[in-house]
PDB file of all heavy atoms in Angstrom:
ATOM      1  N   SER A 649     -48.712 119.219  44.282  1.00 93.00           N
ATOM      2  CA  SER A 649     -50.095 119.038  44.679  1.00 93.00           C
ATOM      3  C   SER A 649     -50.528 117.476  44.694  1.00 93.00           C
ATOM      4  O   SER A 649     -51.128 117.040  45.536  1.00 93.00           O
ATOM      5  CB  SER A 649     -51.127 119.891  43.873  1.00 93.00           C
ATOM      6  OG  SER A 649     -50.796 121.231  44.035  1.00 93.00           O
ATOM      7  N   ILE A 650     -50.064 116.841  43.685  1.00 95.00           N
ATOM      8  CA  ILE A 650     -50.348 115.382  43.453  1.00 95.00           C
ATOM      9  C   ILE A 650     -49.585 114.572  44.557  1.00 95.00           C
ATOM     10  O   ILE A 650     -50.283 113.790  45.187  1.00 95.00           O
ATOM     11  CB  ILE A 650     -49.934 114.917  42.103  1.00 95.00           C
ATOM     12  CG1 ILE A 650     -50.806 115.689  40.976  1.00 95.00           C
ATOM     13  CG2 ILE A 650     -50.054 113.543  41.953  1.00 95.00           C
ATOM     14  CD1 ILE A 650     -50.376 115.379  39.579  1.00 95.00           C
ATOM     15  N   ILE A 651     -48.338 115.000  44.738  1.00 96.00           N
ATOM     16  CA  ILE A 651     -47.599 114.230  45.796  1.00 96.00           C
ATOM     17  C   ILE A 651     -48.293 114.363  47.139  1.00 96.00           C
ATOM     18  O   ILE A 651     -48.347 113.393  48.012  1.00 96.00           O
ATOM     19  CB  ILE A 651     -46.128 114.637  45.851  1.00 96.00           C
ATOM     20  CG1 ILE A 651     -45.439 113.997  44.488  1.00 96.00           C
ATOM     21  CG2 ILE A 651     -45.408 114.112  47.051  1.00 96.00           C
ATOM     22  CD1 ILE A 651     -44.013 114.568  44.408  1.00 96.00           C
ATOM     23  N   GLY A 652     -48.599 115.693  47.492  1.00 95.00           N
ATOM     24  CA  GLY A 652     -49.253 115.852  48.875  1.00 95.00           C
ATOM     25  C   GLY A 652     -50.672 115.208  48.929  1.00 95.00           C
ATOM     26  O   GLY A 652     -50.967 114.706  49.994  1.00 95.00           O
ATOM     27  N   GLY A 653     -51.375 115.118  47.782  1.00 94.00           N
ATOM     28  CA  GLY A 653     -52.669 114.431  47.797  1.00 94.00           C
ATOM     29  C   GLY A 653     -52.473 112.865  48.095  1.00 94.00           C
ATOM     30  O   GLY A 653     -53.245 112.355  48.844  1.00 94.00           O
ATOM     31  N   ILE A 654     -51.550 112.316  47.454  1.00 95.00           N
ATOM     32  CA  ILE A 654     -51.182 110.910  47.703  1.00 95.00           C
ATOM     33  C   ILE A 654     -50.824 110.690  49.171  1.00 95.00           C
ATOM     34  O   ILE A 654     -51.311 109.721  49.828  1.00 95.00           O
ATOM     35  CB  ILE A 654     -50.075 110.484  46.861  1.00 95.00           C
ATOM     36  CG1 ILE A 654     -50.418 110.421  45.406  1.00 95.00           C
ATOM     37  CG2 ILE A 654     -49.679 109.000  47.140  1.00 95.00           C
ATOM     38  CD1 ILE A 654     -49.369 110.115  44.340  1.00 95.00           C
ATOM     39  N   ALA A 655     -50.102 111.616  49.714  1.00 96.00           N
ATOM     40  CA  ALA A 655     -49.684 111.567  51.108  1.00 96.00           C
ATOM     41  C   ALA A 655     -50.959 111.546  52.137  1.00 96.00           C
ATOM     42  O   ALA A 655     -50.975 110.816  53.026  1.00 96.00           O
ATOM     43  CB  ALA A 655     -48.749 112.599  51.492  1.00 96.00           C
ATOM     44  N   GLN A 656     -51.900 112.563  51.830  1.00 94.00           N
ATOM     45  CA  GLN A 656     -52.836 112.748  52.778  1.00 94.00           C
ATOM     46  C   GLN A 656     -53.873 111.537  52.748  1.00 94.00           C
ATOM     47  O   GLN A 656     -54.456 111.113  53.727  1.00 94.00           O
ATOM     48  CB  GLN A 656     -53.675 114.027  52.582  1.00 94.00           C
ATOM     49  CG  GLN A 656     -54.245 114.283  51.250  1.00 94.00           C
ATOM     50  CD  GLN A 656     -55.775 114.222  51.131  1.00 94.00           C
ATOM     51  OE1 GLN A 656     -56.242 113.597  52.099  1.00 94.00           O
ATOM     52  NE2 GLN A 656     -56.358 114.634  50.191  1.00 94.00           N
ATOM     53  N   GLY A 657     -54.161 111.094  51.449  1.00 93.00           N
ATOM     54  CA  GLY A 657     -54.918 109.826  51.452  1.00 93.00           C
ATOM     55  C   GLY A 657     -54.388 108.554  52.095  1.00 93.00           C
ATOM     56  O   GLY A 657     -55.067 107.802  52.766  1.00 93.00           O
ATOM     57  N   GLY A 658     -52.978 108.300  51.787  1.00 94.00           N
ATOM     58  CA  GLY A 658     -52.339 107.233  52.449  1.00 94.00           C
ATOM     59  C   GLY A 658     -52.176 107.370  53.820  1.00 94.00           C
ATOM     60  O   GLY A 658     -52.296 106.426  54.610  1.00 94.00           O
ATOM     61  N   GLY A 659     -52.014 108.586  54.354  1.00 94.00           N
ATOM     62  CA  GLY A 659     -51.707 108.873  55.730  1.00 94.00           C
ATOM     63  C   GLY A 659     -52.985 108.486  56.613  1.00 94.00           C
ATOM     64  O   GLY A 659     -52.918 107.888  57.631  1.00 94.00           O
ATOM     65  N   PHE A 660     -54.097 109.019  56.126  1.00 93.00           N
ATOM     66  CA  PHE A 660     -55.435 108.729  56.837  1.00 93.00           C
ATOM     67  C   PHE A 660     -55.520 107.250  56.906  1.00 93.00           C
ATOM     68  O   PHE A 660     -55.855 106.611  57.979  1.00 93.00           O
ATOM     69  CB  PHE A 660     -56.490 109.344  56.060  1.00 93.00           C
ATOM     70  CG  PHE A 660     -57.914 109.080  56.773  1.00 93.00           C
ATOM     71  CD1 PHE A 660     -58.349 110.011  57.669  1.00 93.00           C
ATOM     72  CD2 PHE A 660     -58.665 108.008  56.442  1.00 93.00           C
ATOM     73  CE1 PHE A 660     -59.666 109.900  58.228  1.00 93.00           C
ATOM     74  CE2 PHE A 660     -59.852 107.821  57.079  1.00 93.00           C
ATOM     75  CZ  PHE A 660     -60.373 108.716  57.921  1.00 93.00           C
ATOM     76  N   THR A 661     -55.395 106.365  55.813  1.00 92.00           N
ATOM     77  CA  THR A 661     -55.516 105.072  55.728  1.00 92.00           C
ATOM     78  C   THR A 661     -54.572 104.392  56.683  1.00 92.00           C
ATOM     79  O   THR A 661     -55.021 103.414  57.470  1.00 92.00           O
ATOM     80  CB  THR A 661     -55.397 104.491  54.293  1.00 92.00           C
ATOM     81  OG1 THR A 661     -56.240 105.286  53.398  1.00 92.00           O
ATOM     82  CG2 THR A 661     -55.589 103.029  54.188  1.00 92.00           C
ATOM     83  N   ALA A 662     -53.304 104.768  56.754  1.00 93.00           N
ATOM     84  CA  ALA A 662     -52.370 104.148  57.607  1.00 93.00           C
ATOM     85  C   ALA A 662     -52.725 104.299  59.066  1.00 93.00           C
ATOM     86  O   ALA A 662     -52.771 103.297  59.813  1.00 93.00           O
ATOM     87  CB  ALA A 662     -51.009 104.841  57.319  1.00 93.00           C
ATOM     88  N   ILE A 663     -53.194 105.501  59.517  1.00 94.00           N
ATOM     89  CA  ILE A 663     -53.380 105.714  60.941  1.00 94.00           C
ATOM     90  C   ILE A 663     -54.599 104.850  61.394  1.00 94.00           C
ATOM     91  O   ILE A 663     -54.596 104.086  62.385  1.00 94.00           O
ATOM     92  CB  ILE A 663     -53.754 107.171  61.202  1.00 94.00           C
ATOM     93  CG1 ILE A 663     -52.457 107.980  61.005  1.00 94.00           C
ATOM     94  CG2 ILE A 663     -54.354 107.369  62.547  1.00 94.00           C
ATOM     95  CD1 ILE A 663     -52.685 109.449  61.102  1.00 94.00           C
ATOM     96  N   PHE A 664     -55.721 104.765  60.639  1.00 91.00           N
ATOM     97  CA  PHE A 664     -56.876 104.020  61.038  1.00 91.00           C
ATOM     98  C   PHE A 664     -56.819 102.567  60.889  1.00 91.00           C
ATOM     99  O   PHE A 664     -57.570 101.828  61.456  1.00 91.00           O
ATOM    100  CB  PHE A 664     -58.142 104.759  60.521  1.00 91.00           C
ATOM    101  CG  PHE A 664     -58.440 106.070  61.171  1.00 91.00           C
ATOM    102  CD1 PHE A 664     -58.019 107.259  60.511  1.00 91.00           C
ATOM    103  CD2 PHE A 664     -59.122 106.182  62.310  1.00 91.00           C
ATOM    104  CE1 PHE A 664     -58.230 108.449  61.085  1.00 91.00           C
ATOM    105  CE2 PHE A 664     -59.247 107.373  62.925  1.00 91.00           C
ATOM    106  CZ  PHE A 664     -58.884 108.510  62.257  1.00 91.00           C
ATOM    107  N   SER A 665     -55.856 102.191  59.867  1.00 91.00           N
ATOM    108  CA  SER A 665     -55.656 100.772  59.823  1.00 91.00           C
ATOM    109  C   SER A 665     -54.910 100.226  60.923  1.00 91.00           C
ATOM    110  O   SER A 665     -55.231  99.051  61.454  1.00 91.00           O
ATOM    111  CB  SER A 665     -54.822 100.489  58.492  1.00 91.00           C
ATOM    112  OG  SER A 665     -55.582 100.796  57.287  1.00 91.00           O
ATOM    113  N   ILE A 666     -54.006 100.873  61.558  1.00 92.00           N
ATOM    114  CA  ILE A 666     -53.356 100.537  62.643  1.00 92.00           C
ATOM    115  C   ILE A 666     -54.233 100.342  63.865  1.00 92.00           C
ATOM    116  O   ILE A 666     -54.176  99.457  64.645  1.00 92.00           O
ATOM    117  CB  ILE A 666     -52.144 101.546  63.077  1.00 92.00           C
ATOM    118  CG1 ILE A 666     -51.065 101.458  61.981  1.00 92.00           C
ATOM    119  CG2 ILE A 666     -51.553 101.208  64.403  1.00 92.00           C
ATOM    120  CD1 ILE A 666     -49.941 102.486  62.196  1.00 92.00           C
ATOM    121  N   ILE A 667     -55.197 101.298  64.049  1.00 91.00           N
ATOM    122  CA  ILE A 667     -56.165 101.252  65.130  1.00 91.00           C
ATOM    123  C   ILE A 667     -56.951 100.074  64.970  1.00 91.00           C
ATOM    124  O   ILE A 667     -57.230  99.185  65.960  1.00 91.00           O
ATOM    125  CB  ILE A 667     -57.076 102.531  65.136  1.00 91.00           C
ATOM    126  CG1 ILE A 667     -56.384 103.731  65.463  1.00 91.00           C
ATOM    127  CG2 ILE A 667     -58.183 102.313  66.264  1.00 91.00           C
ATOM    128  CD1 ILE A 667     -57.149 104.992  65.380  1.00 91.00           C
ATOM    129  N   ALA A 668     -57.473  99.740  63.798  1.00 87.00           N
ATOM    130  CA  ALA A 668     -58.296  98.523  63.599  1.00 87.00           C
ATOM    131  C   ALA A 668     -57.511  97.232  63.830  1.00 87.00           C
ATOM    132  O   ALA A 668     -58.114  96.239  64.304  1.00 87.00           O
ATOM    133  CB  ALA A 668     -58.844  98.478  62.169  1.00 87.00           C
ATOM    134  N   ARG A 669     -56.214  97.222  63.526  1.00 86.00           N
ATOM    135  CA  ARG A 669     -55.485  95.995  63.786  1.00 86.00           C
ATOM    136  C   ARG A 669     -55.114  95.806  65.260  1.00 86.00           C
ATOM    137  O   ARG A 669     -55.009  94.631  65.624  1.00 86.00           O
ATOM    138  CB  ARG A 669     -54.108  96.169  62.957  1.00 86.00           C
ATOM    139  CG  ARG A 669     -54.389  95.970  61.474  1.00 86.00           C
ATOM    140  CD  ARG A 669     -53.070  96.028  60.724  1.00 86.00           C
ATOM    141  NE  ARG A 669     -53.327  95.821  59.252  1.00 86.00           N
ATOM    142  CZ  ARG A 669     -52.375  95.505  58.445  1.00 86.00           C
ATOM    143  NH1 ARG A 669     -51.159  95.510  58.821  1.00 86.00           N
ATOM    144  NH2 ARG A 669     -52.644  95.260  57.119  1.00 86.00           N
ATOM    145  N   VAL A 670     -54.805  96.798  66.028  1.00 89.00           N
ATOM    146  CA  VAL A 670     -54.346  96.583  67.355  1.00 89.00           C
ATOM    147  C   VAL A 670     -55.418  96.503  68.358  1.00 89.00           C
ATOM    148  O   VAL A 670     -55.288  95.999  69.528  1.00 89.00           O
ATOM    149  CB  VAL A 670     -53.358  97.643  67.817  1.00 89.00           C
ATOM    150  CG1 VAL A 670     -52.134  97.685  66.921  1.00 89.00           C
ATOM    151  CG2 VAL A 670     -53.930  99.106  67.882  1.00 89.00           C
ATOM    152  N   ALA A 671     -56.628  97.061  68.019  1.00 88.00           N
ATOM    153  CA  ALA A 671     -57.774  96.929  69.018  1.00 88.00           C
ATOM    154  C   ALA A 671     -58.301  95.625  69.017  1.00 88.00           C
ATOM    155  O   ALA A 671     -58.513  94.836  68.156  1.00 88.00           O
ATOM    156  CB  ALA A 671     -58.970  97.855  68.515  1.00 88.00           C
ATOM    157  N   ILE A 672     -58.546  95.150  70.397  1.00 87.00           N
ATOM    158  CA  ILE A 672     -58.989  93.812  70.521  1.00 87.00           C
ATOM    159  C   ILE A 672     -60.490  93.615  70.569  1.00 87.00           C
ATOM    160  O   ILE A 672     -61.182  92.744  70.278  1.00 87.00           O
ATOM    161  CB  ILE A 672     -58.360  93.154  71.949  1.00 87.00           C
ATOM    162  CG1 ILE A 672     -56.854  93.227  71.862  1.00 87.00           C
ATOM    163  CG2 ILE A 672     -58.891  91.777  72.172  1.00 87.00           C
ATOM    164  CD1 ILE A 672     -56.291  92.376  70.764  1.00 87.00           C
ATOM    165  N   THR A 673     -61.120  94.838  71.079  1.00 87.00           N
ATOM    166  CA  THR A 673     -62.557  94.834  71.171  1.00 87.00           C
ATOM    167  C   THR A 673     -63.133  96.027  70.475  1.00 87.00           C
ATOM    168  O   THR A 673     -62.443  96.953  70.211  1.00 87.00           O
ATOM    169  CB  THR A 673     -63.009  94.966  72.697  1.00 87.00           C
ATOM    170  OG1 THR A 673     -62.707  96.153  73.169  1.00 87.00           O
ATOM    171  CG2 THR A 673     -62.392  93.705  73.454  1.00 87.00           C
ATOM    172  N   ASP A 674     -64.489  95.961  70.279  1.00 84.00           N
ATOM    173  CA  ASP A 674     -65.153  97.118  69.684  1.00 84.00           C
ATOM    174  C   ASP A 674     -65.111  98.354  70.530  1.00 84.00           C
ATOM    175  O   ASP A 674     -64.796  99.534  70.061  1.00 84.00           O
ATOM    176  CB  ASP A 674     -66.724  96.921  69.431  1.00 84.00           C
ATOM    177  CG  ASP A 674     -66.963  95.831  68.337  1.00 84.00           C
ATOM    178  OD1 ASP A 674     -65.961  95.553  67.609  1.00 84.00           O
ATOM    179  OD2 ASP A 674     -68.130  95.457  68.149  1.00 84.00           O
ATOM    180  N   ALA A 675     -65.006  98.154  71.835  1.00 87.00           N
ATOM    181  CA  ALA A 675     -64.903  99.261  72.764  1.00 87.00           C
ATOM    182  C   ALA A 675     -63.562  99.951  72.693  1.00 87.00           C
ATOM    183  O   ALA A 675     -63.358 101.133  72.657  1.00 87.00           O
ATOM    184  CB  ALA A 675     -65.184  98.867  74.236  1.00 87.00           C
ATOM    185  N   GLN A 676     -62.447  99.103  72.450  1.00 89.00           N
ATOM    186  CA  GLN A 676     -61.148  99.661  72.258  1.00 89.00           C
ATOM    187  C   GLN A 676     -61.029 100.404  71.005  1.00 89.00           C
ATOM    188  O   GLN A 676     -60.419 101.431  70.916  1.00 89.00           O
ATOM    189  CB  GLN A 676     -60.092  98.469  72.367  1.00 89.00           C
ATOM    190  CG  GLN A 676     -59.495  98.249  73.610  1.00 89.00           C
ATOM    191  CD  GLN A 676     -58.207  97.368  73.544  1.00 89.00           C
ATOM    192  OE1 GLN A 676     -57.976  96.736  72.570  1.00 89.00           O
ATOM    193  NE2 GLN A 676     -57.464  97.360  74.704  1.00 89.00           N
ATOM    194  N   ALA A 677     -61.605  99.850  69.918  1.00 89.00           N
ATOM    195  CA  ALA A 677     -61.505 100.618  68.602  1.00 89.00           C
ATOM    196  C   ALA A 677     -62.210 101.929  68.698  1.00 89.00           C
ATOM    197  O   ALA A 677     -61.814 102.865  68.130  1.00 89.00           O
ATOM    198  CB  ALA A 677     -62.234  99.613  67.665  1.00 89.00           C
ATOM    199  N   ALA A 678     -63.446 101.854  69.288  1.00 90.00           N
ATOM    200  CA  ALA A 678     -64.230 103.167  69.447  1.00 90.00           C
ATOM    201  C   ALA A 678     -63.392 104.257  70.272  1.00 90.00           C
ATOM    202  O   ALA A 678     -63.293 105.313  69.894  1.00 90.00           O
ATOM    203  CB  ALA A 678     -65.570 102.907  70.033  1.00 90.00           C
ATOM    204  N   SER A 679     -62.936 103.753  71.432  1.00 91.00           N
ATOM    205  CA  SER A 679     -62.283 104.708  72.270  1.00 91.00           C
ATOM    206  C   SER A 679     -60.917 105.180  71.682  1.00 91.00           C
ATOM    207  O   SER A 679     -60.640 106.361  71.817  1.00 91.00           O
ATOM    208  CB  SER A 679     -62.035 104.161  73.686  1.00 91.00           C
ATOM    209  OG  SER A 679     -61.206 102.995  73.590  1.00 91.00           O
ATOM    210  N   GLY A 680     -60.167 104.261  71.113  1.00 92.00           N
ATOM    211  CA  GLY A 680     -59.004 104.677  70.452  1.00 92.00           C
ATOM    212  C   GLY A 680     -59.176 105.588  69.296  1.00 92.00           C
ATOM    213  O   GLY A 680     -58.439 106.629  69.155  1.00 92.00           O
ATOM    214  N   SER A 681     -60.088 105.248  68.510  1.00 92.00           N
ATOM    215  CA  SER A 681     -60.410 106.159  67.296  1.00 92.00           C
ATOM    216  C   SER A 681     -60.878 107.504  67.877  1.00 92.00           C
ATOM    217  O   SER A 681     -60.569 108.583  67.316  1.00 92.00           O
ATOM    218  CB  SER A 681     -61.519 105.539  66.491  1.00 92.00           C
ATOM    219  OG  SER A 681     -61.715 106.360  65.365  1.00 92.00           O
ATOM    220  N   ALA A 682     -61.700 107.563  68.969  1.00 92.00           N
ATOM    221  CA  ALA A 682     -62.166 108.760  69.555  1.00 92.00           C
ATOM    222  C   ALA A 682     -61.018 109.718  70.014  1.00 92.00           C
ATOM    223  O   ALA A 682     -60.961 110.884  69.780  1.00 92.00           O
ATOM    224  CB  ALA A 682     -63.199 108.558  70.599  1.00 92.00           C
ATOM    225  N   TRP A 683     -60.122 109.070  70.713  1.00 93.00           N
ATOM    226  CA  TRP A 683     -58.979 109.890  71.256  1.00 93.00           C
ATOM    227  C   TRP A 683     -58.095 110.464  69.981  1.00 93.00           C
ATOM    228  O   TRP A 683     -57.753 111.572  70.085  1.00 93.00           O
ATOM    229  CB  TRP A 683     -58.027 109.062  72.115  1.00 93.00           C
ATOM    230  CG  TRP A 683     -58.564 108.863  73.537  1.00 93.00           C
ATOM    231  CD1 TRP A 683     -59.098 107.849  74.123  1.00 93.00           C
ATOM    232  CD2 TRP A 683     -58.444 109.874  74.531  1.00 93.00           C
ATOM    233  NE1 TRP A 683     -59.463 108.060  75.408  1.00 93.00           N
ATOM    234  CE2 TRP A 683     -59.045 109.343  75.670  1.00 93.00           C
ATOM    235  CE3 TRP A 683     -57.949 111.207  74.529  1.00 93.00           C
ATOM    236  CZ2 TRP A 683     -59.125 110.053  76.845  1.00 93.00           C
ATOM    237  CZ3 TRP A 683     -58.034 111.979  75.843  1.00 93.00           C
ATOM    238  CH2 TRP A 683     -58.637 111.392  76.814  1.00 93.00           C
ATOM    239  N   VAL A 684     -57.883 109.620  69.053  1.00 95.00           N
ATOM    240  CA  VAL A 684     -57.075 110.033  67.878  1.00 95.00           C
ATOM    241  C   VAL A 684     -57.851 111.211  67.126  1.00 95.00           C
ATOM    242  O   VAL A 684     -57.240 112.243  66.797  1.00 95.00           O
ATOM    243  CB  VAL A 684     -56.881 108.896  66.990  1.00 95.00           C
ATOM    244  CG1 VAL A 684     -56.231 109.446  65.653  1.00 95.00           C
ATOM    245  CG2 VAL A 684     -55.907 107.915  67.570  1.00 95.00           C
ATOM    246  N   GLN A 685     -59.072 111.049  66.973  1.00 94.00           N
ATOM    247  CA  GLN A 685     -59.766 112.021  66.178  1.00 94.00           C
ATOM    248  C   GLN A 685     -60.093 113.383  67.006  1.00 94.00           C
ATOM    249  O   GLN A 685     -60.019 114.456  66.379  1.00 94.00           O
ATOM    250  CB  GLN A 685     -61.089 111.519  65.666  1.00 94.00           C
ATOM    251  CG  GLN A 685     -60.952 110.412  64.527  1.00 94.00           C
ATOM    252  CD  GLN A 685     -62.113 109.964  63.978  1.00 94.00           C
ATOM    253  OE1 GLN A 685     -63.012 110.780  63.540  1.00 94.00           O
ATOM    254  NE2 GLN A 685     -62.515 108.685  63.867  1.00 94.00           N
ATOM    255  N   THR A 686     -60.232 113.242  68.227  1.00 94.00           N
ATOM    256  CA  THR A 686     -60.429 114.449  69.058  1.00 94.00           C
ATOM    257  C   THR A 686     -59.244 115.331  69.002  1.00 94.00           C
ATOM    258  O   THR A 686     -59.333 116.498  68.698  1.00 94.00           O
ATOM    259  CB  THR A 686     -60.691 114.042  70.561  1.00 94.00           C
ATOM    260  OG1 THR A 686     -61.851 113.370  70.658  1.00 94.00           O
ATOM    261  CG2 THR A 686     -60.779 115.381  71.403  1.00 94.00           C
ATOM    262  N   GLY A 687     -57.975 114.726  69.166  1.00 94.00           N
ATOM    263  CA  GLY A 687     -56.742 115.448  69.104  1.00 94.00           C
ATOM    264  C   GLY A 687     -56.529 115.968  67.642  1.00 94.00           C
ATOM    265  O   GLY A 687     -56.208 117.226  67.525  1.00 94.00           O
ATOM    266  N   GLY A 688     -56.671 115.181  66.681  1.00 95.00           N
ATOM    267  CA  GLY A 688     -56.446 115.542  65.366  1.00 95.00           C
ATOM    268  C   GLY A 688     -57.340 116.734  64.836  1.00 95.00           C
ATOM    269  O   GLY A 688     -56.828 117.645  64.234  1.00 95.00           O
ATOM    270  N   TYR A 689     -58.630 116.642  65.241  1.00 94.00           N
ATOM    271  CA  TYR A 689     -59.507 117.617  64.573  1.00 94.00           C
ATOM    272  C   TYR A 689     -59.462 118.918  65.429  1.00 94.00           C
ATOM    273  O   TYR A 689     -59.705 119.980  64.985  1.00 94.00           O
ATOM    274  CB  TYR A 689     -60.954 117.135  64.556  1.00 94.00           C
ATOM    275  CG  TYR A 689     -61.163 116.059  63.447  1.00 94.00           C
ATOM    276  CD1 TYR A 689     -61.600 114.789  63.679  1.00 94.00           C
ATOM    277  CD2 TYR A 689     -60.780 116.446  62.201  1.00 94.00           C
ATOM    278  CE1 TYR A 689     -61.716 113.908  62.592  1.00 94.00           C
ATOM    279  CE2 TYR A 689     -60.968 115.439  61.070  1.00 94.00           C
ATOM    280  CZ  TYR A 689     -61.468 114.310  61.357  1.00 94.00           C
ATOM    281  OH  TYR A 689     -61.574 113.236  60.413  1.00 94.00           O
ATOM    282  N   LEU A 690     -59.065 118.886  66.725  1.00 94.00           N
ATOM    283  CA  LEU A 690     -58.826 120.075  67.462  1.00 94.00           C
ATOM    284  C   LEU A 690     -57.669 120.879  66.843  1.00 94.00           C
ATOM    285  O   LEU A 690     -57.639 122.161  66.734  1.00 94.00           O
ATOM    286  CB  LEU A 690     -58.458 119.763  68.964  1.00 94.00           C
ATOM    287  CG  LEU A 690     -59.680 119.490  69.883  1.00 94.00           C
ATOM    288  CD1 LEU A 690     -59.173 119.049  71.212  1.00 94.00           C
ATOM    289  CD2 LEU A 690     -60.654 120.740  70.030  1.00 94.00           C
ATOM    290  N   VAL A 691     -56.618 120.174  66.413  1.00 95.00           N
ATOM    291  CA  VAL A 691     -55.407 120.772  65.809  1.00 95.00           C
ATOM    292  C   VAL A 691     -55.906 121.369  64.471  1.00 95.00           C
ATOM    293  O   VAL A 691     -55.516 122.378  63.990  1.00 95.00           O
ATOM    294  CB  VAL A 691     -54.242 119.825  65.669  1.00 95.00           C
ATOM    295  CG1 VAL A 691     -53.214 120.325  64.689  1.00 95.00           C
ATOM    296  CG2 VAL A 691     -53.707 119.507  66.953  1.00 95.00           C
ATOM    297  N   ALA A 692     -56.748 120.584  63.693  1.00 94.00           N
ATOM    298  CA  ALA A 692     -57.294 120.950  62.488  1.00 94.00           C
ATOM    299  C   ALA A 692     -58.079 122.248  62.510  1.00 94.00           C
ATOM    300  O   ALA A 692     -58.125 122.987  61.485  1.00 94.00           O
ATOM    301  CB  ALA A 692     -58.080 119.910  61.878  1.00 94.00           C
ATOM    302  N   THR A 693     -58.625 122.603  63.611  1.00 92.00           N
ATOM    303  CA  THR A 693     -59.415 123.840  63.753  1.00 92.00           C
ATOM    304  C   THR A 693     -58.496 124.998  63.935  1.00 92.00           C
ATOM    305  O   THR A 693     -58.856 126.145  63.730  1.00 92.00           O
ATOM    306  CB  THR A 693     -60.396 123.861  64.927  1.00 92.00           C
ATOM    307  OG1 THR A 693     -59.760 123.601  66.037  1.00 92.00           O
ATOM    308  CG2 THR A 693     -61.423 122.582  64.685  1.00 92.00           C
ATOM    309  N   ILE A 694     -57.291 124.814  64.452  1.00 92.00           N
ATOM    310  CA  ILE A 694     -56.317 125.812  64.741  1.00 92.00           C
ATOM    311  C   ILE A 694     -55.374 126.110  63.587  1.00 92.00           C
ATOM    312  O   ILE A 694     -55.046 127.467  63.348  1.00 92.00           O
ATOM    313  CB  ILE A 694     -55.534 125.467  65.929  1.00 92.00           C
ATOM    314  CG1 ILE A 694     -56.238 125.225  67.139  1.00 92.00           C
ATOM    315  CG2 ILE A 694     -54.367 126.476  66.236  1.00 92.00           C
ATOM    316  CD1 ILE A 694     -55.675 124.637  68.355  1.00 92.00           C
ATOM    317  N   THR A 695     -55.009 125.171  62.797  1.00 93.00           N
ATOM    318  CA  THR A 695     -53.985 125.382  61.758  1.00 93.00           C
ATOM    319  C   THR A 695     -54.378 126.227  60.635  1.00 93.00           C
ATOM    320  O   THR A 695     -53.597 127.020  60.166  1.00 93.00           O
ATOM    321  CB  THR A 695     -53.424 124.034  61.261  1.00 93.00           C
ATOM    322  OG1 THR A 695     -54.542 123.131  60.892  1.00 93.00           O
ATOM    323  CG2 THR A 695     -52.559 123.365  62.265  1.00 93.00           C
ATOM    324  N   PRO A 696     -55.594 126.157  60.053  1.00 91.00           N
ATOM    325  CA  PRO A 696     -55.906 127.134  58.936  1.00 91.00           C
ATOM    326  C   PRO A 696     -55.828 128.641  59.324  1.00 91.00           C
ATOM    327  O   PRO A 696     -55.197 129.357  58.692  1.00 91.00           O
ATOM    328  CB  PRO A 696     -57.284 126.721  58.558  1.00 91.00           C
ATOM    329  CG  PRO A 696     -57.404 125.281  58.874  1.00 91.00           C
ATOM    330  CD  PRO A 696     -56.684 125.174  60.247  1.00 91.00           C
TER     331      PRO A 696
END
């Protein structure tokens, strides 16, 4: 449980840190984050 918790906290940070680093504009950051979260949260509604 502890190992999995470390993974989920670090995994979230890793993904959105990469978006913030590669986006050149605010519009890119917003659209990129939107695409990533749309896909991720759609899967999150299915998996439980």
Side-chain angles (χ1 to χ4, degrees):
S649 297
I650 293 173
I651 287 176
I654 294 172
Q656 59 104 344
F660 181 95
T661 303
I663 290 170
F664 289 97
S665 294
I666 293 173
I667 295 176
R669 288 185 175 188
V670 299
I672 300 301
T673 67
D674 285 357
Q676 268 196 343
S679 63
S681 182
W683 277 106
V684 169
Q685 293 190 49
T686 296
Y689 288 125
L690 281 175
V691 170
T693 63
I694 297 170
T695 50

